[in-house]
Amino acid sequence: MKNEFLEKLNAAFKFIIKEIKQTFIDYAIILGSGLGNIPEVLEEKIVIPYHEVPHMVKSTVKGHKGNFIFGVFEKKPLVIMEGRLHYYEGYSMQEITFPIRILQKLKIKYLIITAAVGGIRNKLPLDLSDIVLIKDHINLIGDNPLRGPHYEELGERFVDLTNTYDKDLIKLAKNIAKKNKIKVYEGIYLATCGPSYETPAEIEAFKKLGADVVGMSVVPEAIVARQAGMKVLGICYITNLAAGISTKPLSHLEVLETATKVAYKLNLLIKEILKKL
Ligand code: HPA
């Protein structure tokens, strides 16, 4: 008997291949909240809105456009996901990571995940607009994208997450940041379900767990990407200090405003990383 999920995935993949007419793409980038202008540097651009792709659910969040943008940068074909899907939108883990499965079908080797985060100021003196390279994560979403039926052709059932965030990619990113005088930290990302921000008590607890930054994404994407054998680089940018550390109430508008301020240095960092990959 044919499997419904794999059939949906194949349909989505076939649709995309028909639009882009090629399959050798090694690099993918997921753009977080408020980061708009990286796609501008791509040549031979082909934009495919998520809602046109069979079986993909719609992004419902302000600041997340919802497009696959295929193109070429420095002679390298790549795909940018402009906006992502979140668990808090009410979708299942399988639905929000469906685009990562499409990337897997495209045989993407390197996945750069970017995300807006709240800074926890645990051991790092984090401030607004700082960039943090993710060295590991703590999953407190309460779900896992690999839960449920297992499809042998998509990878192992029990996936090792020891090196979820690739050490060589972190090293490369740090070197490039240094050369370009961009300050970067390495830290631990803690994922919550959202969409409410955390309470100050939760942030105090997360500090004790060892978290440096908190966000509502990244982890489902990274887990699926690892099952698919992709090398993952996680880059977050502090759009606000976490609840209780910030003296102001948290707001999505502030998140978007700060994100536009970091976009310049983040674009530079990502472009230089791509040149070296
Ligand atoms: N908490 C959770 N997710 C976030 C935050 C935050 O403070 N800022 C940006 N995304």
Side-chain angles (χ1 to χ4, degrees):
M1 200 182 77
K2 292 229 169 102
N3 176 280
E4 198 189 337
F5 178 74
L6 294 177
E7 280 189 0
K8 282 181 177 172
L9 182 56
N10 268 332
F13 174 64
K14 275 190 189 145
F15 173 85
I16 283 179
I17 288 297
K18 213 167 82 205
E19 298 286 311
I20 64 171
K21 300 179 187 69
Q22 64 163 323
T23 53
F24 53 94
I25 303 168
D26 286 342
Y27 312 95
I29 306 168
I30 304 174
L31 293 186
S33 294
L35 295 185
N37 42 9
I38 292 182
E40 283 165 19
V41 301
L42 295 193
E43 292 161 34
E44 301 169 44
K45 239 186 292 184
I46 299 172
V47 179
I48 305 179
Y50 294 159
H51 66 85
E52 286 184 9
V53 180
H55 311 296
M56 252 191 74
V57 294
K58 281 197 204 88
S59 165
T60 63
V61 191
K62 216 175 163 177
H64 284 263
K65 284 195 188 142
N67 294 312
F68 283 112
I69 304 176
F70 291 85
V72 178
F73 175 68
E74 297 269 322
K75 301 199 172 72
K76 291 172 179 160
L78 58 90
V79 52
I80 293 177
M81 283 180 57
E82 198 178 29
R84 57 155 58 86
L85 302 159
H86 302 80
Y87 192 56
Y88 65 70
E89 291 176 74
Y91 299 126
S92 71
M93 279 284 192
Q94 231 180 36
E95 284 170 323
I96 64 164
T97 54
F98 193 71
I100 312 300
R101 292 300 183 194
I102 295 175
L103 300 184
Q104 177 175 13
K105 295 281 288 180
L106 285 165
K107 299 196 170 59
I108 295 294
K109 293 192 180 69
Y110 297 93
L111 175 64
I112 301 178
I113 303 178
T114 67
V117 287
I120 294 187
R121 276 197 189 154
N122 190 358
K123 294 188 185 93
L124 307 173
L126 298 176
D127 225 325
L128 289 189
S129 302
D130 278 346
I131 292 179
V132 180
L133 304 171
I134 306 177
K135 64 177 176 189
D136 207 347
H137 75 227
I138 298 169
N139 180 8
L140 289 189
I141 295 179
D143 201 347
N144 189 299
L146 307 185
R147 178 175 176 270
H150 175 234
Y151 309 109
E152 205 65 59
E153 47 275 76
L154 296 182
E156 288 178 32
R157 164 93 283 190
F158 301 102
V159 174
D160 175 32
L161 295 181
T162 312
N163 288 308
T164 309
Y165 304 92
D166 190 81
K167 290 199 171 57
D168 293 334
L169 290 181
I170 292 177
K171 212 188 240 170
L172 176 69
K174 278 171 79 175
N175 284 339
I176 288 170
K178 200 170 165 194
K179 269 193 200 127
N180 289 281
K181 299 190 170 53
I182 299 170
K183 182 174 63 176
V184 293
Y185 295 101
E186 267 183 77
I188 297 190
Y189 178 103
L190 185 144
T192 65
C193 172
S196 59
Y197 292 110
E198 301 68 37
T199 63
E202 284 166 344
I203 294 299
E204 275 308 306
F206 295 169
K207 233 188 229 182
K208 295 193 174 94
L209 291 178
D212 296 297
V213 296
V214 59
M216 305 172 193
S217 61
V218 177
V219 167
E221 296 154 355
I223 292 175
V224 171
R226 287 306 296 147
Q227 190 193 40
M230 293 175 214
K231 290 189 180 203
V232 177
L233 176 65
I235 309 177
C236 356
Y237 42 101
I238 311 267
T239 51
N240 58 280
L241 293 174
I245 300 169
S246 172
T247 49
K248 293 186 295 185
L250 308 190
S251 82
H252 186 55
L253 200 62
E254 185 201 359
V255 167
L256 294 181
E257 274 173 14
T258 318
T260 51
K261 288 183 200 148
V262 284
Y264 171 76
K265 58 179 175 176
L266 214 65
N267 287 349
L268 179 67
L269 188 62
I270 291 173
K271 276 189 265 180
E272 294 302 313
I273 290 170
L274 283 172
K275 283 184 196 169
K276 291 274 166 7
L277 279 180

